[in-house]
Amino acid sequence: MRRILTPSSFLTSTLLSAGFLLALLFVWWWNSRAPTPIVLTPTLTGKPEYCLTCHADLPEISASHPVETFGCVTCHGGERLVLDKDLAHSSMRGGANPSDLSVVEASCGGSNCHSGSEADDRHHIQRVTTSIQATYAGAIANIRFTFGAQTDLSPHYGIHAVSDDKTQTGIQSLLAFDPFSESNPNIQKFGEECLTCHINATPREGDAYARQTGCAACHTPLRLPSNSENLGGVSRRDEGGGVHALTTAIPYTQCNTCHNRGNYNLRTMTFDERTDHSTIRLYDYYQPIAQFTKCEYTLDCIDCHTRSEAMGDGDIHADQKSIEYVQCKTCHGTPTELPLTKTLTDPNDLAFRLAFLNPVIDLKLGDTILVTEKGEPLWNIRVLPDGTYEMYGKATRQYFTFRPVMGSGCTQTGEDQSSSYCHECHAVER
Amino acid sequence: MRPSFFHHLHPPAIPAAQARWRHTLGAGGTAVFLMLLLGVTGILEMFYYVPNPEEAALSVQTLTYHVPFGGFIRNLHYWSAQLLLIVSAVHLLRVIFTAAYKYPRRFNYLLGLGLFVLAVMLDFTGYILRWDQGICWPLTTGTNLIKTIPLIGGFLFRLAVGGGDACQTALTRFYTWHIFALTLPVVVLGVWHAFRVRRDGGIATPPARLFLDRTRIPRDELVRREAAAMFIVGILLILLSVFFPAPIAPAMIDKPSLNAETRAPWFFLWVQQMLKWGDPFIFGVLIPLGILTLLALIPYIFPQPADSDIGRWFPKSNRLAQVVVTVIAIFVIILTLINT
């Protein structure tokens, strides 16, 4: 009964065995192509993550968020163990931008992080989400009032619904604005064309408007000003079009991605983009009839405007006017009054924290700095022994000294202190 | 040379006609090979799999991406399981279309049908063990179907899932079902099935008085052919595993999400399609069970095939069974395609 293998069946067996062995070798070779995993176990979570396998060359996002402490997943989400790009990225919060307001609480929040208590000045997320930069409440109320959808200018709507239980402004909540439920076509068109400036909006197309959303709209500068060689800690946009950086040294060019980019045309309800591309700072302002003093086109926006003006103060406001309050006199005083000052005696003073985050000045205990009318520290301006002031540019580290108005030849009355009065004498003609 | 253990698992010689590929399609033998492969790869997976809700998906990720060849082993396990369902269905169709289920083989036909049902349940429980964002909808929908059964639905649901919200509690149950409670019956029924093949006279052929081809092949030739088939299936599995990785989804965050994946696993797509038509008990339970019952009854209530037709493709004497099974197969395939 026993049969000897025929030549053809021997050949088949050999070929199949060889094929199977080849297939196994192929698996071995295929597996060996995978990159060597790079593990990081951040001290904050104690859980290993493998993001650095591909992202090892990414610069650290900021000195306050060292990767050894935070890792990547704490902020970005994602599948920390997965080495397949699509799956690893599939559960990331906010795509490449975890600070988008839709996910910011999960990414940046938490009582130990940026949704801490108001007493500690750590309620950043609450401040931003109620701020007019995020709600756009003033513009919406104005447009609705103009086209008859409401009888006064009080705000009822924001870009997103928001509430404030401990309101100081009397505005407890805003409903989410839905332009498509409006009957007036102009308001509808406003909704379609003009909602590109609040910080969670996808910006208009074009390099001039390029910015992220959420916190990163301001804190992740994509563009650098022409004097960027003075800039510390702000990294340039990488080849992929993104930036892995967070900074409080925000150059004016970042503000300009929304501000100074053109004007809204209320008749056509469209945005008229500016067409000039000035490289001279003075002409970078897009207000044809406006006047500017030297500090307005030399300093950066954040050198004068405070954190509560830019990020909100935790209350819902009706318009820009009710949150913006810094004037020339805040730093320079009036002919009869010196600017307000504060001598730093508490090592936990907010001024030290802010100077630590953006170390342009070596503040010490006993230093006297300027403060605003609302008590916010102007921590980059220090009183010198001779009664003049020194100032360090927050974004540029430029050094300036300046004098108070008091004792100068200025004859302006103490009551008339808005910028237009100062521009009468101090403006530079364009 | 004395026959080895593996040779002894086979009869000393079998009729050459029975050993031809076109006679059996090799489906039963391939199914055995796939089951063995599933056992081996499954044990390897168990070295790393952690059956608790917090870590299950992460352990699958670890297995897939960090254990040397872990992803490949997992893919092999996945593709062996999918192929097993296809091969088992082909085996069932072959048995019907060649009238091989006739007495004395009709009891073994039932054993085979039972194995097929167990294979489907193993595939489903294995799918659930991923415990990632992709499993919650199929798990909830699938197990809620059990609840719709009158009188005993609640009891069966607790038996299958362990009570509560399936997405929170079912993991331990499904792990036990998959590793022991379904696998052990497969082993028992599988061995019984193979034993009955030999007890019932090997692969179905007409009785000796009607079957004149006396050519036989020795068992070493049979083993050689089986090895050749295993190599072919093995190469196919390797290629599938390398180029088409097994599905995996992000781990569940906080609470299970029902929105992540709303499609049933492919072998239940036809049931999912029927669920769109109306009452879940009728379309999700009664009709599938009815089809299963009909299949089980074929050797008992359908017209018996003629002895001379046993082992012949598409004989006239069991035409009714062929038509019924073809209609069922086309029905299932069309519903699956509609829902793809």
Side-chain angles (χ1 to χ4, degrees):
Chain A
M1 215 48 171
R2 226 159 238 288
R3 285 195 334 185
I4 294 161
L5 285 180
T6 61
S8 73
S9 65
F10 176 76
L11 188 67
T12 315
S13 303
T14 312
L15 279 179
L16 281 175
S17 320
F20 185 72
L21 275 177
L22 267 180
L24 285 179
L25 272 176
F26 175 69
V27 171
W28 177 80
W29 172 78
W30 186 267
N31 252 43
S32 69
R33 291 164 67 243
T36 311
I38 301 175
V39 65
L40 169 76
T41 307
T43 51
L44 209 58
T45 63
K47 292 175 179 171
E49 41 191 69
Y50 287 85
C51 316
L52 296 187
T53 304
C54 299
H55 299 291
D57 56 350
L58 212 55
E60 187 134 281
I61 191 154
S62 81
S64 308
H65 302 90
V67 72
E68 294 81 9
T69 308
F70 288 83
C72 310
V73 175
T74 302
C75 304
H76 286 280
E79 299 299 298
R80 62 185 170 87
L81 298 175
V82 172
L83 296 179
D84 172 77
K85 180 181 174 183
D86 291 337
L87 180 60
H89 291 179
S90 64
S91 56
M92 280 174 71
R93 281 187 290 266
N97 177 15
S99 80
D100 188 272
L101 295 188
S102 60
V103 293
V104 68
E105 185 58 49
S107 309
C108 314
S111 57
N112 290 324
C113 297
H114 299 291
S115 48
S117 73
E118 186 174 351
D120 289 342
D121 259 310
R122 293 191 190 276
H123 59 320
H124 306 106
I125 292 175
Q126 200 264 336
R127 284 168 50 204
V128 166
T129 48
T130 50
S131 81
I132 51 170
Q133 301 254 38
T135 65
Y136 220 41
I140 295 170
N142 263 284
I143 294 297
R144 293 189 82 249
F145 172 71
T146 304
F147 292 101
Q150 60 185 65
T151 54
D152 57 25
L153 282 171
S154 58
H156 304 290
Y157 294 97
I159 294 297
H160 53 267
V162 66
S163 63
D164 174 22
D165 303 332
K166 295 178 284 186
T167 178
Q168 304 284 316
T169 57
I171 306 166
Q172 284 193 325
S173 64
L174 297 172
L175 299 167
F177 178 57
D178 175 15
F180 300 106
S181 66
E182 300 281 349
S183 54
N184 187 300
N186 281 307
I187 305 178
Q188 290 177 4
K189 199 162 185 210
F190 165 76
E192 286 170 40
E193 302 282 338
C194 306
L195 296 185
T196 57
C197 280
H198 66 87
I199 55 164
N200 215 41
T202 307
R204 304 177 67 80
E205 283 190 18
D207 200 44
Y209 306 95
R211 60 164 174 82
Q212 308 275 9
T213 58
C215 312
C218 304
H219 290 285
T220 303
L222 300 181
R223 299 154 58 77
L224 296 180
S226 48
N227 56 356
S228 59
E229 67 273 11
N230 294 324
L231 218 62
V234 179
S235 69
R236 191 177 287 277
R237 201 185 325 196
D238 67 22
E239 286 174 4
V243 159
H244 197 244
L246 283 174
T247 182
T248 55
I250 298 160
Y252 77 95
T253 44
Q254 191 60 22
C255 311
N256 273 8
T257 58
C258 288
H259 304 275
N260 292 316
R261 289 264 70 86
N263 276 318
Y264 286 112
N265 185 327
L266 290 183
R267 274 177 301 177
T268 57
M269 209 42 96
T270 52
F271 185 74
D272 292 341
E273 297 181 6
R274 66 184 293 183
T275 50
D276 59 323
H277 298 285
S278 174
T279 52
I280 303 167
R281 175 76 191 275
L282 175 59
Y283 295 93
D284 221 3
Y285 288 99
Y286 194 62
Q287 297 296 344
I289 54 170
Q291 296 173 302
F292 299 100
T293 62
K294 191 179 177 190
C295 54
E296 285 172 296
Y297 65 86
T298 309
L299 304 181
D300 284 271
C301 311
I302 60 166
D303 286 327
C304 299
H305 292 293
T306 64
R307 54 207 294 275
S308 77
E309 286 182 284
M311 261 174 80
D313 59 5
D315 287 313
I316 301 173
H317 287 267
D319 51 38
Q320 189 180 341
K321 282 199 297 291
S322 73
I323 185 76
E324 230 182 65
Y325 68 97
V326 166
Q327 291 183 301
C328 305
K329 68 172 181 180
T330 306
C331 292
H332 295 281
T334 68
T336 53
E337 287 176 56
L338 288 171
L340 301 175
T341 60
K342 176 185 185 181
T343 300
L344 300 172
T345 54
D346 178 3
N348 294 318
D349 197 290
L350 178 62
F352 285 115
R353 202 161 88 208
L354 298 172
F356 173 77
L357 290 174
N358 184 12
V360 297
I361 184 171
D362 57 336
L363 275 190
K364 293 183 286 291
L365 275 177
D367 282 353
T368 301
I369 60 168
L370 296 192
V371 292
T372 69
E373 295 86 327
K374 291 187 180 176
E376 289 191 270
L378 295 166
W379 55 270
N380 58 329
I381 304 172
R382 183 158 47 192
V383 182
L384 293 172
D386 64 358
T388 62
Y389 310 99
E390 65 173 356
M391 171 186 177
Y392 292 87
K394 287 180 187 172
T396 59
R397 296 172 185 252
Q398 291 178 93
Y399 182 74
F400 303 92
T401 53
F402 61 93
R403 291 176 297 151
V405 173
M406 202 164 102
S408 72
C410 179
T411 54
Q412 183 67 26
T413 60
E415 286 71 41
D416 300 326
Q417 288 292 326
S418 69
S419 60
S420 58
Y421 291 110
C422 303
H423 286 155
E424 290 287 326
C425 297
H426 299 285
V428 175
E429 295 300 329
R430 304 203 290 193
Chain B
M1 191 177 73
R2 287 168 66 83
S4 74
F5 170 74
F6 295 103
H7 286 89
H8 261 303
L9 290 174
H10 301 76
I14 65 166
Q18 294 180 357
R20 287 203 186 97
W21 187 83
R22 67 165 185 271
H23 185 78
T24 62
L25 306 179
T30 306
V32 172
F33 171 59
L34 291 171
M35 283 189 186
L36 291 173
L37 204 54
L38 281 163
V40 172
T41 51
I43 288 170
L44 291 174
E45 287 180 307
M46 281 178 74
F47 283 121
Y48 289 94
Y49 184 74
V50 183
N52 85 47
E54 281 74 42
E55 292 171 80
L58 297 179
S59 72
V60 173
Q61 290 182 358
T62 302
L63 170 73
T64 306
Y65 297 105
H66 299 287
V67 175
F69 298 100
F72 176 65
I73 294 295
R74 177 169 174 264
N75 294 344
L76 266 187
H77 192 77
Y78 170 80
W79 278 114
S80 301
Q82 313 318 311
L83 224 54
L84 177 62
L85 293 192
I86 294 170
V87 164
S88 305
V90 168
H91 187 43
L92 176 66
L93 290 175
R94 194 277 294 174
V95 166
I96 302 280
F97 290 153
T98 60
Y101 53 81
K102 192 181 178 183
Y103 180 86
R105 294 184 175 81
R106 63 187 185 183
F107 175 69
N108 208 17
Y109 171 85
L110 289 186
L111 288 179
L113 204 57
L115 279 167
F116 183 60
V117 172
L118 287 172
V120 171
M121 291 166 79
L122 273 164
D123 209 324
F124 186 69
T125 51
Y127 176 91
I128 296 304
L129 289 187
R130 275 165 49 196
W131 212 253
D132 57 30
Q133 288 183 21
I135 64 102
C136 206
W137 191 92
L139 174 61
T140 309
T141 314
T143 51
N144 278 349
L145 280 181
I146 304 176
K147 279 191 194 165
T148 64
I149 301 170
L151 300 177
I152 56 166
F155 167 74
L156 287 178
F157 177 80
R158 280 197 302 282
L159 187 71
V161 176
D165 177 3
C167 277
Q168 308 275 13
T169 60
L171 180 59
T172 308
R173 279 292 153 114
F174 271 60
Y175 182 69
T176 314
W177 280 117
H178 190 77
I179 308 297
F180 297 108
L182 292 169
T183 307
L184 286 180
V186 162
V187 173
V188 172
L189 289 196
V191 171
W192 196 353
H193 192 63
F195 165 80
R196 284 298 301 239
V197 171
R198 283 183 68 177
R199 169 58 56 83
D200 295 338
I203 310 287
T205 50
R209 60 189 161 82
L210 298 170
F211 191 65
L212 304 172
D213 183 1
R214 293 277 180 264
T215 330
R216 294 176 80 81
I217 60 162
R219 59 181 157 203
D220 54 355
E221 171 64 12
L222 180 61
V223 169
R224 197 191 62 78
R225 288 186 193 180
E226 284 175 1
M230 280 196 258
F231 281 142
I232 292 170
V233 176
I235 291 170
L236 173 68
L237 281 172
I238 286 171
L239 293 179
L240 283 171
S241 299
V242 168
F243 292 110
F244 304 96
I248 187 168
M252 293 188 216
I253 309 160
D254 301 330
K255 59 177 186 220
S257 158
L258 280 176
N259 301 326
E261 170 71 61
T262 56
R263 271 155 53 92
W266 68 271
F267 46 88
F268 279 151
L269 284 174
W270 65 286
V271 181
Q272 188 182 33
Q273 180 63 28
M274 281 199 297
L275 287 174
K276 297 172 186 168
W277 296 346
D279 187 74
F281 176 62
I282 295 173
F283 291 104
V285 180
L286 270 192
I287 291 183
L289 277 184
I291 289 174
L292 190 63
T293 312
L294 189 64
L295 288 174
L297 289 176
I298 283 176
Y300 296 91
I301 62 169
F302 277 53
Q304 293 295 308
D307 280 349
S308 58
D309 281 343
I310 294 174
R312 295 218 171 89
W313 282 95
F314 304 111
K316 274 202 181 113
S317 55
N318 83 331
R319 190 60 31 101
L320 181 63
Q322 294 168 33
V323 170
V324 167
V325 172
T326 305
V327 168
I328 291 172
I330 290 175
F331 176 72
V332 169
I333 289 170
I334 286 180
L335 289 191
T336 303
L337 291 179
I338 291 175
N339 197 16
T340 299

